[in-house]
Amino acid sequence: MAAYIVRRILYVIPILFGITVITFILFNMLMGDPATRFAGKHATKEQVEVVRAELGLDKPLPIQYINYVKQIATFDYGRSWSTKQKVSTMVADGFGPTLCVTVVPFVASIIFCVGLALIAAYYRGTIFDKGIVITCLGLMSISSVVYVVVLPNWLAFQAGLFPISGWDPSWTDRWQYLILPWIILFVLSLGPTILFYRSVIMDEAFQDYVRTARAKGVSSQGVFLRHILKNAMIPIITMVVIEIPFLITGSVLIENFFGIPGIGGLVFKALNESDFPVIKATTVMMSIAYMVFNLISDVLYSVVDPRIKLS
Amino acid sequence: MDQMTTTTTKTATGESKFEPQPAKTDSFIQITDLTKQFPIKGGLLSRTVANVNAVQGVSLDIKKGETLGLVGESGCGKSTLGRCIIRLIEPTSGKIVIDGDDVTHKKGEELRALRRKMQIIFQDPYASLNPRMTVGSIISEPLEIHNLFDSKKDRLDRTKQLIELVGLRPEHINRYPHEFSGGQRQRIGIARALAVDPSFIVCDEPVSALDVSIQAQVINLLMDLQQRLGLTYLFIAHDLKVVEHISNRVAVMYLGKVVEIAEAEELYRHPSHPYTRALMSAIPVPDPRKRDQRIILTGDVPSPINPPSGCHFHPRCPDMIEECKTTCPSLRETRPAHRTACIRA
Ligand SMILES: Nc1ncnc2c1ncn2[C@@H]1O[C@H](COP(=O)(O)OP(=O)(O)O)[C@@H](O)[C@H]1O
Ligand SMILES: [Mg+2]
């Protein structure tokens, strides 16, 4: 077991190398000359050269790459070009608001969707099941922009239940701004999540071991909870863990619409203003988070599925 | 009850001359006119567009302590019949009486109680065991469900005893199914079926997925268990060779119907239905001179959705006459204690 995990972690090294090389090429070569951008449109040649030296872009590429890796390792990306704040502080400040928005609907959606998918699969083929499938497809066929526009219009603007947008640093006043984004993220996740869980559960429901359980005399609820769900949890857990990095990035659309000072909003602003250090920091952070949670999901998979050989 | 006595007298025949468990004459399970149709749904509204006639009006008697072999090509409805009998699937119509108790319409708690009497060993020893349960929990789950033992320790003891009974070692209890070979897995399946101490077991092609070398071991185990525990078997196989050794009587099935039934020795000596003879000639014989007599079945197996008119076998039958296309033959006694569904037999 331990050996397996160590081996899986060792695999991470070439992947990390790949991530750094690709993003390095992306930022330093493909996106145009950073020095020119930083110096601005009206800068003279000399001014650009000064900036180039300041940013260390006059050094040979291997040295630049090593510096870049150092930045990643220490999470020190220098200062933002537009706000002049430390990038690490800006990103760290963004985590809190983003997680406030994403975690609650994420957890609620898992519980609700697994439950509903289980009931739909239990009553498979009935009107109830078909109704759920059709509703999910309907929900999915509507663009997310529609939810972001329509739900606040109904619930905040017309019904006046919540403030339309805003943010408050204090916890006691913050929640009123959170409920609407929570509802939207929750509703957005319903369609795809229920359909995915339902299909995973249905796949298991037709396995031979289910027939065996019924032959034993296990009640139909018992078959679902003890046999089918237990096996279906393997792909479900994998899916859930892989989605965790997206909790950190947050939703660019939602954060902008509601004025939430999280990572999503940060990325949006940085892209608008060509704020290189911030884009670099968030991109690299995302890639690494994605890789790490993939690793966790793999390890978890081998823990819950006895068929995976751990030697 | 009337039904029972009439069916009993109809098939009460002589004692078996075979080594496996001398069968008693009293009927243990009576199946009358059992039919199972699987609807095929189609279209947006999921209406039934056709039916698969998997089992079509089968009547059978199984005697206490005997092994009734059930043979037929793949897809002829053997598994469906076996699963209907133990009520793992709902028969469309017909009647199933076990030990004088009509179980055809049992539901809920009564049906669960029935699982203690009747068990099944599945064909596929790989897919039929829950991959996430240990051998111990696979075998002991029925004990828990049916509250067969009060304490955990008693259940554990019983589980270990079952594991040993099927020729595995008690230390296997905490392992997972994938760690075992096909033959061992089938032993786990057998132990699981035996856990509730049933009196009747449907063995649904229990050795078909196994290597030939392992098949004999598992069949011997099943025969040994039958002797020790006084079990009654419905033993399903797709070729006659496998059931020959274990069965007291053999029924041959074709496209949802039983076409011939007799004592095993009688059936193998005097196969009366052309289909049985064709199956028989498919068994490899050591004597090369006999190979000339092979009957090769022509044509494909017809679809159970649209079975042929008259005798279902007529399109493939070497002895077919015009009348076979219209007359639907029923089982009748063509030799003493030997029934065949063929107008020419
Ligand atoms: N659940 C089901 N739904 C629809 N058709 C089925 C189902 N189970 C079996 N059948 C059909 O019924 C027929 C008999 O199947 P089965 O009893 O498994 O045959 P056998 O065990 O003799 O190979 C086949 O044509 C099969 O396709
Ligand atoms: Mg079968």
Side-chain angles (χ1 to χ4, degrees):
Chain A
M1 184 76 213
Y4 171 80
I5 295 173
V6 168
R7 211 181 53 214
R8 274 305 275 111
I9 291 173
L10 289 181
Y11 280 150
V12 160
I13 294 171
I15 301 175
L16 261 178
F17 180 71
I19 291 176
T20 53
V21 168
I22 291 170
T23 50
F24 177 74
I25 294 173
L26 210 66
F27 290 127
N28 288 283
M29 298 168 188
L30 299 181
M31 284 171 74
D33 179 24
T36 323
R37 287 189 170 232
F38 184 68
K41 274 183 209 152
H42 310 293
T44 62
K45 268 216 170 85
E46 291 72 33
Q47 282 173 316
V48 171
E49 286 317 309
V50 172
V51 169
R52 193 183 302 285
E54 245 174 47
L55 296 174
L57 296 173
D58 54 343
K59 305 215 170 68
L61 278 179
I63 305 284
Q64 284 190 39
Y65 174 73
I66 288 170
N67 287 336
Y68 174 65
V69 172
K70 263 190 215 152
Q71 283 188 331
I72 295 172
T74 55
F75 208 83
D76 181 6
Y77 293 89
R79 290 181 180 274
S80 155
W81 290 357
S82 51
T83 67
K84 312 296 177 203
Q85 267 184 298
K86 282 193 77 168
V87 174
S88 51
T89 321
M90 288 167 75
V91 171
D93 288 347
F95 280 144
T98 293
L99 289 174
C100 278
V101 174
T102 52
V103 170
V104 170
F106 181 70
V107 174
S109 160
I110 293 170
I111 296 168
F112 181 80
C113 294
V114 168
L116 207 60
L118 206 59
I119 299 171
Y122 186 82
Y123 293 106
R124 60 180 171 270
T126 63
I127 307 253
F128 177 77
D129 175 39
K130 281 176 195 164
I132 285 184
V133 172
I134 290 168
T135 311
C136 286
L137 290 173
L139 285 173
M140 281 166 74
S141 61
I142 301 169
S143 157
S144 57
V145 180
V146 175
Y147 294 98
V148 176
V149 174
V150 170
L151 287 178
N153 184 34
W154 283 349
L155 300 172
F157 197 69
Q158 289 178 13
L161 295 173
F162 316 105
I164 291 180
S165 77
W167 187 251
D168 198 303
S170 100
W171 275 102
T172 42
D173 294 324
R174 187 182 288 183
W175 65 269
Q176 53 172 332
Y177 299 109
L178 285 170
I179 294 176
L180 204 45
W182 283 349
I183 293 174
I184 291 172
L185 282 176
F186 180 74
V187 172
L188 269 175
S189 74
L190 291 182
T193 315
I194 292 174
L195 287 185
F196 173 74
Y197 292 166
R198 178 182 171 278
S199 84
V200 164
I201 294 169
M202 293 276 271
D203 277 352
E204 291 299 328
F206 289 106
Q207 298 291 322
D208 277 7
Y209 69 81
V210 173
R211 191 188 296 129
T212 308
R214 289 185 34 236
K216 286 177 182 177
V218 182
S219 64
S220 25
Q221 294 93 324
V223 168
F224 256 79
L225 296 176
R226 284 211 300 279
H227 291 262
I228 295 176
L229 185 59
K230 203 172 165 196
N231 277 279
M233 277 330 270
I234 296 175
I236 291 178
I237 289 174
T238 312
M239 183 73 177
V240 164
V241 172
I242 285 182
E243 281 180 346
I244 290 177
F246 297 106
L247 299 184
I248 304 166
T249 36
S251 157
V252 171
L253 187 66
I254 300 255
E255 290 190 10
N256 270 298
F257 190 89
F258 292 102
I260 294 161
I263 305 279
L266 191 69
V267 169
F268 185 76
K269 240 179 92 209
L271 284 171
N272 257 340
E273 297 165 0
S274 296
D275 194 347
F276 255 52
V278 174
I279 298 175
K280 209 163 33 174
T282 46
T283 309
V284 171
M285 186 184 76
M286 241 343 264
S287 316
I288 292 176
Y290 197 76
M291 186 193 68
V292 168
F293 281 98
N294 247 307
L295 169 74
I296 293 176
S297 143
D298 268 10
V299 172
L300 217 58
Y301 198 99
S302 63
V303 173
V304 289
D305 191 340
R307 281 166 298 187
I308 308 273
K309 268 259 180 286
L310 296 178
S311 55
Chain B
M1 275 308 179
D2 278 346
Q3 183 76 27
M4 186 182 121
T5 37
T6 49
T7 40
T8 327
T9 43
K10 204 159 67 183
T11 48
T13 50
E15 299 273 329
S16 161
K17 296 176 205 83
F18 278 75
E19 295 156 21
Q21 283 287 298
K24 298 181 191 106
T25 44
D26 56 320
S27 215
F28 180 46
I29 295 171
Q30 294 115 37
I31 300 136
T32 316
D33 213 12
L34 196 80
T35 298
K36 176 67 189 181
Q37 296 182 325
F38 292 107
I40 301 174
K41 309 256 181 178
L44 265 181
L45 301 170
S46 301
R47 272 180 315 191
T48 304
V49 288
N51 280 311
V52 179
N53 300 291
V55 177
Q56 305 176 38
V58 167
S59 298
L60 277 179
D61 264 39
I62 305 173
K63 292 167 209 157
K64 193 141 193 112
E66 84 165 339
T67 298
L68 176 65
L70 184 64
V71 181
E73 280 164 297
S74 181
C76 71
K78 306 177 299 290
S79 298
T80 306
L81 177 61
R83 288 173 195 168
C84 277
I85 295 174
I86 66 160
R87 292 287 319 280
L88 203 52
I89 51 180
E90 288 301 303
T92 308
S93 66
K95 190 172 165 190
I96 305 152
V97 176
I98 310 243
D99 228 357
D101 184 15
D102 187 341
V103 301
T104 323
H105 302 292
K106 291 214 157 147
K107 280 198 173 59
E109 217 31 61
E110 277 189 325
L111 187 60
R112 294 217 299 155
L114 199 64
R115 304 264 176 257
R116 286 188 53 188
K117 271 195 187 167
M118 307 198 290
Q119 272 300 325
I120 181 164
I121 298 163
F122 292 103
Q123 172 174 359
D124 186 343
Y126 294 89
S128 62
L129 302 175
N130 189 335
R132 294 200 55 200
M133 284 169 86
T134 60
V135 171
S137 46
I138 286 172
I139 298 173
S140 65
E141 191 181 22
L143 305 176
E144 274 169 55
I145 295 163
H146 297 285
N147 288 321
L148 292 186
F149 294 91
D150 293 332
S151 75
K152 253 199 161 112
K153 194 190 164 297
D154 289 348
R155 278 204 292 270
L156 187 67
D157 288 345
R158 168 75 173 149
T159 308
K160 284 188 177 153
Q161 184 202 346
L162 284 161
I163 287 176
E164 280 178 289
L165 190 65
V166 297
L168 296 172
R169 292 201 306 275
E171 59 266 30
H172 288 152
I173 198 163
N174 287 321
R175 301 230 187 124
Y176 287 92
H178 72 271
E179 297 172 58
F180 294 88
S181 67
Q184 287 175 316
R185 281 166 158 247
Q186 201 53 298
R187 287 170 193 266
I188 298 167
I190 294 170
R192 186 230 90 220
L194 288 175
V196 292
D197 202 10
S199 42
F200 173 63
I201 298 182
V202 173
C203 309
D204 189 358
E205 304 202 33
V207 296
S208 297
L210 306 179
D211 287 350
V212 180
S213 56
I214 312 288
Q215 288 189 353
Q217 292 175 13
V218 173
I219 290 189
N220 286 338
L221 171 69
L222 286 168
M223 289 171 75
D224 178 48
L225 290 168
Q226 178 172 45
Q227 212 125 38
R228 282 210 254 170
L229 307 171
L231 299 166
T232 304
Y233 286 154
L234 176 68
F235 193 98
I236 299 173
H238 59 254
D239 69 279
L240 277 163
K241 186 80 198 137
V242 173
V243 291
E244 183 177 9
H245 194 52
I246 192 171
S247 307
N248 302 91
R249 286 189 305 142
V250 174
V252 179
M253 230 178 139
Y254 186 76
L255 217 63
K257 291 189 170 183
V258 171
V259 294
E260 184 164 4
I261 180 167
E263 296 279 322
E265 208 185 27
E266 162 71 18
L267 188 104
Y268 284 84
R269 283 236 181 99
H270 309 284
S272 307
H273 197 284
Y275 179 63
T276 313
R277 286 205 292 273
L279 282 182
M280 204 83 90
S281 69
I283 301 177
V285 279
D287 184 352
R289 278 165 303 169
K290 283 193 176 168
R291 274 198 202 136
D292 299 340
Q293 304 164 3
R294 285 187 87 151
I295 306 164
I296 308 295
L297 285 178
T298 52
D300 290 330
V301 185
S303 149
I305 298 171
N306 239 327
S309 64
C311 171
H312 287 175
F313 188 57
H314 86 254
R316 301 171 82 195
C317 183
D319 304 336
M320 194 261 291
I321 54 171
E322 211 45 44
E323 204 190 334
C324 298
K325 292 181 183 171
T326 49
T327 310
C328 192
S330 51
L331 277 176
R332 62 192 171 86
E333 196 141 58
T334 48
R335 288 171 53 87
H338 185 151
R339 293 188 298 146
T340 314
C342 175
I343 53 171
R344 306 204 58 199

